């Protein structure tokens, strides 16, 4: 199975900050990666697919970069509604696997 | 586009549970449904997917316990999990997926999600 290692596991940032979350795959997955946001008590929501494509309706302050084994989610101009846990998901090979999640708190 | 899941369930150890996912707003036979679960306070775990024609891909750890089916007449997907233990207590989510049926390569994964269904296993 491909292991997805996310870092950090949690972070705290202020409104207007830029935040970076990283996912590392245990083997190359090309660009078969998505980023998901899960706000407290809600279902996950896709933000990014194919590593860097913005989901329709997602705010443009979310950006995904990377390919192969290293991927990054960048959140610019942090907003209060960005309080959530973020997950990466690889779908290059079965079983699909998620990162362990990054909990983002707003200072 | 909407995925609406069935309500929560409470089951005893050893029992089975069915979670349903009713879809609307798109062509059901152009997509599949994938299932993801989340134990209390934990992360997301992929379980498998099924397509309109009955093709499935199941995570190995659920083989023999998980059955995923689709009903094209009602545009509904079902997930049946048997031999439940307390470790199966979780919120179960369905999400839309699109794969090439011949290669099982992915076109699109989990762009739309259901609201989740809490399954509690307790004696």
């Amino acid at each position: 199975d491909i292991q997805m290692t996310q870092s950090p596991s949690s972070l705290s940032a202020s409104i207007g900050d830029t935040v970076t979350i990283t996912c590392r795959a245990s083997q190359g997955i090309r660009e078969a990666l998505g980023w998901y946001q899960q706000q407290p008590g809600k279902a996950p929501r896709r933000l990014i697919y194919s590593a860097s494509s913005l989901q329709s309706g997602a705010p443009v302050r979310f950006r995904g970069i990377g390919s192969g084994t290293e991927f990054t989610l960048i959140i610019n101009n942090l907003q209060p509604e960005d309080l959530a846990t973020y997950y990466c998901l690889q779908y290059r090979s079965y079983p699909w696997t998620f990162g362990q999640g990054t909990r983002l708190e707003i200072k | 586009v909407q995925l609406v899941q069935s309500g929560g369930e409470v089951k005893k150890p050893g029992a089975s549970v069915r979670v349903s996912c009713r879809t609307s707003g798109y062509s059901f036979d152009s997509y599949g449904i994938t299932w993801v679960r989340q134990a209390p306070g934990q992360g997301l775990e992929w379980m498998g997917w099924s397509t309109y024609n009955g093709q499935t891909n199941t995570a190995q750890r659920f083989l023999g316990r998980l059955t995923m089916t689709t009903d094209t007449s009602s545009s509904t997907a079902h997930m049946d999990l048997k031999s439940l233990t307390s470790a199966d207590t979780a919120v179960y989510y369905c999400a839309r997926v699109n794969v090439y049926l011949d290669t099982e390569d992915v076109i699109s994964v989990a762009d739309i999600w259901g609201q989740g269904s809490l399954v509690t296993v307790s004696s």
Side-chain angles (χ1 to χ4, degrees):
Chain A
D1 298 2
I2 296 176
Q3 307 302 315
M4 301 301 295
T5 303
Q6 242 180 281
S7 61
S9 57
S10 65
L11 74 156
S12 181
S14 300
I15 301 302
D17 281 355
T18 294
V19 168
T20 298
I21 299 169
T22 298
C23 246
R24 177 178 291 113
S26 60
Q27 60 190 79
I29 59 171
R30 299 189 183 178
E31 296 183 338
L33 182 118
W35 288 99
Y36 294 81
Q37 176 195 64
Q38 186 176 33
Q39 294 172 323
K42 294 189 174 182
R45 163 198 181 193
R46 191 172 76 172
L47 297 173
I48 301 289
Y49 63 96
S50 299
S52 60
S53 296
L54 185 67
Q55 174 70 28
S56 173
V60 297
R61 62 179 181 276
F62 291 94
R63 181 182 170 214
I65 59 173
S67 67
T69 61
E70 294 281 338
F71 301 87
T72 303
L73 175 68
I74 302 167
I75 310 173
N76 291 306
N77 187 24
L78 195 66
Q79 296 299 300
E81 60 266 30
D82 299 335
L83 166 71
T85 301
Y86 294 82
Y87 296 93
C88 61
L89 167 67
Q90 74 78 21
Y91 45 88
R92 173 62 183 158
S93 71
Y94 293 99
W96 298 345
T97 44
F98 288 92
Q100 75 273 27
T102 295
R103 180 172 297 184
L104 174 58
E105 297 178 345
I106 309 297
K107 288 181 183 174
Chain B
V1 177
Q2 263 195 313
L3 278 61
V4 178
Q5 298 184 223
S6 51
E9 302 262 13
V10 179
K11 296 292 183 180
K12 293 193 182 301
S16 299
V17 69
R18 165 168 282 198
V19 177
S20 299
C21 175
R22 187 178 78 250
T23 73
S24 61
Y26 71 95
S27 177
F28 184 72
D29 58 8
S30 295
Y31 291 85
I33 292 292
T34 191
W35 295 91
V36 173
R37 75 177 184 179
Q38 185 171 39
Q42 302 300 308
L44 302 171
E45 179 179 29
W46 179 72
M47 301 177 70
W49 54 251
S50 63
T51 62
Y52 71 96
N53 66 347
Q55 189 167 341
T56 62
N57 188 303
T58 305
Q60 187 162 7
R61 66 172 296 177
F62 296 105
L63 286 175
R65 281 211 305 142
L66 175 63
T67 302
M68 296 170 289
T69 57
T70 55
D71 179 352
T72 54
S73 66
S74 62
S75 300
T76 301
H78 304 285
M79 181 216 67
D80 295 289
L81 190 62
K82 65 181 182 181
S83 303
L84 294 170
T85 72
S86 58
D88 294 313
T89 294
V91 176
Y92 289 76
Y93 294 102
C94 63
R96 192 172 72 166
V97 67
N98 200 359
V99 299
Y100 292 109
L101 296 183
D102 52 351
T103 63
E104 298 189 345
D105 288 339
V106 171
I107 303 169
S108 175
V109 175
D111 60 338
I112 307 294
W113 293 65
Q115 83 276 19
S117 301
L118 175 61
V119 175
T120 302
V121 183
S122 174
S123 55

